[in-house]
Amino acid sequence: MSFTFTYKAPWLLAEFETPQRMLSWSITHPGFCVNDRVAWLEVRNDDLNPNIDARDYMIDKLKKDRLNGALGLMTSRHIQHHHFAESAKGFVKAQCLSTLGLSNGSHVGFPENEPTHQKFGTINSLCALNVPLSDGALIEASSVATQARTAALMDFYHTHMPQVPVITGTGTDCIVISCPNSASHTMFAGLHTNAGKAIGEAVYAVTLEAVIVWHKTVQRLRN
């Protein structure tokens, strides 16, 4: 199950030893797929003007750099700012690799308060489990990962920046859940299962670390 990851601008690349079942809303592989690579592409706002199709742009970049077929994610965060965490619960292990930018952060449920964004950040997370999951469990795992990401963001703002509006995510986030491609499936991955606990702990830890570093980076740029 374990993946290795490397980064060399403009790419952060996670690679598995064998193809994994994945569920995501990736720009290149939305929904269920089988893949052995997840590639983050660092982009600038100028790279994606209104006349450019983001999906075509991503696919062209993957082909150009011999990553054709990889599940693609885009981020305006400098990819050297990536974060990794893992958690084990019983025989279940979860690993999470994430990049985070909040320049277009918003609070879910309040579209009337959404600001006009001049820059676009995103939170892109890969969460890999060492046990095979059913389709339903993959969906449930994606829900748990989303909860953990949002809880970490809310806890950070309530604790460290209570004077500013809470951010629950961005308009361009993506979560990828992966597991071994096996016929034997774990049926559930809710909060009370080892799978859900491991996912939740890993995603929460990696998101909390990432948001702390992002705010420190933004503050340094302002000073």
Side-chain angles (χ1 to χ4, degrees), residues 5-8 10-14 38-41 79 82 97 99:
F5 59 92
T6 55
Y7 70 97
K8 182 179 180 181
W11 295 104
L12 169 65
L13 181 65
V38 177
W40 285 250
L41 174 64
I79 49 88
H82 57 271
L97 179 64
T99 57

Side-chain angles (χ1 to χ4, degrees), residues 88-108:
K89 300 295 178 184
F91 58 86
V92 180
K93 183 178 181 180
Q95 296 181 316
C96 185
L97 179 64
S98 184
T99 57
L100 178 146
L102 298 177
S103 53
N104 64 328
S106 299
H107 191 302
V108 67

